[in-house]
Amino acid sequence: MRRHIACLTFDHDHMSGFIARGMTTPTPISRGEFDIVAIPRIVDLLARYNAKATFFTPGHTIESAWRSVETYVDAGHELAHHGWTHRPPATVERAEEEEEIVRGNEAIKKISGRGARGYRSPSWDLSPHTIELLLKHGIQYDSSLMGDDYDCYFARQGDVAELKTPFVRGRETSLVEMPISWSLDDFPYFEYMRNPNGAIQQGLSNATHVLENFVDDFVYMTRIRDRGILTYTFHPHVIGRGHRMMMLERLILKLLEHGAVFMTMEQALAEWRTWRAEGERRAAE
């Protein structure tokens, strides 16, 4: 059976991403705060097309913008883990990384009634300890790596990547990787940034041109695979601007034209496990 799944995911960073970069003056804080305006727009749009989504939300956001988070939790969307302070795990020590996972999960349980099933690393950069810690704390899938586009795979632990010796792959774990890509993320296309280190991220791309990329990646999946999962990443304070919301609606409509089934990441994971079990059964016959 042909089945092409689109996962619409939203990293609800609020102001945590700016604070993590040391950008705490009123203007960057207000940029993050715009998601309070954007969240109802996004939830209403998703409801219009009966599309369930996944929101990766830092604990800092949950505790700072509780009512905004309740908006999508009450609407039945998946609430997943995105750290607590929005610091990349690769930049902190193991004990502090574990503290972030525990504290973030406590915030998620408090507002949703259950722990997170999925995790996405802030800035998509795992540490050597991340996979082990996620499994320890009951996380079933990660969405931070880029080793595939239309298929899930098992995350590895213990890779050896050194300059003058061949790469050595580590062992596969039970943590399922649901891959992402910067090319399917709204932030680098749209968000203008003057970072504290002086680097400038241009952003401000034409939304119609970005839409073509987003649609074509899905169409290509339907051409080369009978089954697949494609994950899009948005940020409420970025995608929530008027012309980008119109782009997001056009994206949903275009994907529906091509047979897309919208699912949360947790739902797509269950589907993928079913596909895999079917494949193993057929191989054994």
Side-chain angles (χ1 to χ4, degrees):
M1 181 181 70
R2 291 176 62 80
R3 185 84 151 164
H4 298 104
I5 297 170
C7 291
L8 303 178
T9 71
F10 298 85
D11 291 2
H12 185 193
D13 299 335
H14 194 44
M15 56 187 68
S16 66
F18 293 100
I19 295 173
R21 293 180 174 90
M23 302 169 70
T24 57
T25 53
T27 295
I29 291 298
S30 71
R31 287 175 68 175
E33 231 172 358
F34 179 74
D35 61 27
I36 293 176
V37 175
I39 289 291
R41 298 176 180 177
I42 293 167
V43 171
D44 287 349
L45 176 63
L46 295 172
R48 197 176 310 150
Y49 295 100
N50 195 29
K52 293 302 182 185
T54 298
F55 288 77
F56 291 92
T57 308
H60 184 279
T61 296
I62 295 172
E63 297 193 15
S64 301
W66 185 273
R67 289 189 177 180
S68 190
V69 178
E70 272 187 328
T71 304
Y72 50 82
V73 171
D74 290 347
H77 299 289
E78 180 186 3
L79 177 59
H81 206 306
H82 198 40
W84 201 90
T85 62
H86 204 276
R87 288 178 298 169
T91 66
V92 300
E93 298 296 325
R94 184 185 186 282
E96 196 165 12
E97 180 179 0
E98 184 166 22
E99 180 185 345
E100 291 253 330
I101 293 171
V102 170
R103 191 177 179 188
N105 230 0
E106 287 173 351
I108 288 169
K109 287 177 184 177
K110 193 185 301 182
I111 196 167
S112 71
R114 67 172 199 167
R117 303 299 194 271
Y119 174 86
R120 174 173 288 163
S121 164
S123 302
W124 291 342
D125 198 5
L126 305 183
S127 81
H129 313 292
T130 304
I131 293 171
E132 165 208 345
L133 291 173
L134 294 179
L135 289 170
K136 176 181 176 181
H137 292 283
I139 300 295
Q140 297 179 10
Y141 74 84
D142 173 66
S143 183
S144 311
L145 304 179
M146 308 184 189
D148 210 310
D149 47 8
Y150 305 130
D151 202 2
C152 302
Y153 59 94
F154 291 106
R156 295 190 306 270
Q157 191 170 14
D159 286 354
V160 180
E162 297 176 347
L163 183 61
K164 295 186 178 182
T165 59
F167 177 76
V168 179
R169 286 174 172 76
R171 64 175 181 85
E172 284 189 349
T173 69
S174 60
L175 184 72
V176 177
E177 182 59 39
M178 304 186 73
I180 40 71
S181 170
W182 283 113
S183 65
L184 294 174
D185 185 320
D186 64 349
F187 194 92
Y189 289 114
F190 295 135
E191 196 70 351
Y192 174 80
M193 292 286 291
R194 289 181 295 175
N195 292 301
N197 63 3
I200 293 179
Q201 177 179 303
Q202 191 63 44
L204 308 180
S205 298
N206 183 297
T208 300
H209 295 163
V210 176
L211 174 64
E212 290 180 6
N213 293 347
F214 283 12
V215 171
D216 282 352
D217 262 18
F218 186 87
V219 172
Y220 185 71
M221 174 174 67
T222 67
R223 292 181 178 181
I224 68 167
R225 296 182 62 101
D226 287 336
R227 297 174 175 179
I229 301 168
L230 185 61
T231 299
Y232 297 90
T233 303
F234 304 101
H235 298 75
H237 72 281
V238 178
I239 201 67
R241 299 287 174 177
H243 66 291
R244 298 172 192 159
M245 287 298 298
M246 292 181 72
M247 183 213 84
L248 179 57
E249 183 167 19
R250 291 199 299 272
L251 174 66
I252 291 171
L253 288 168
K254 287 285 188 182
L255 298 188
L256 286 172
E257 286 178 14
H258 291 282
V261 180
F262 292 103
M263 290 187 178
T264 68
M265 298 288 275
E266 184 178 8
Q267 289 171 333
L269 174 63
E271 189 96 351
W272 179 80
R273 290 191 193 278
T274 299
W275 297 345
R276 188 168 181 274
E278 287 177 1
E280 290 177 344
R281 177 181 54 78
R282 289 176 183 172
E285 289 176 351

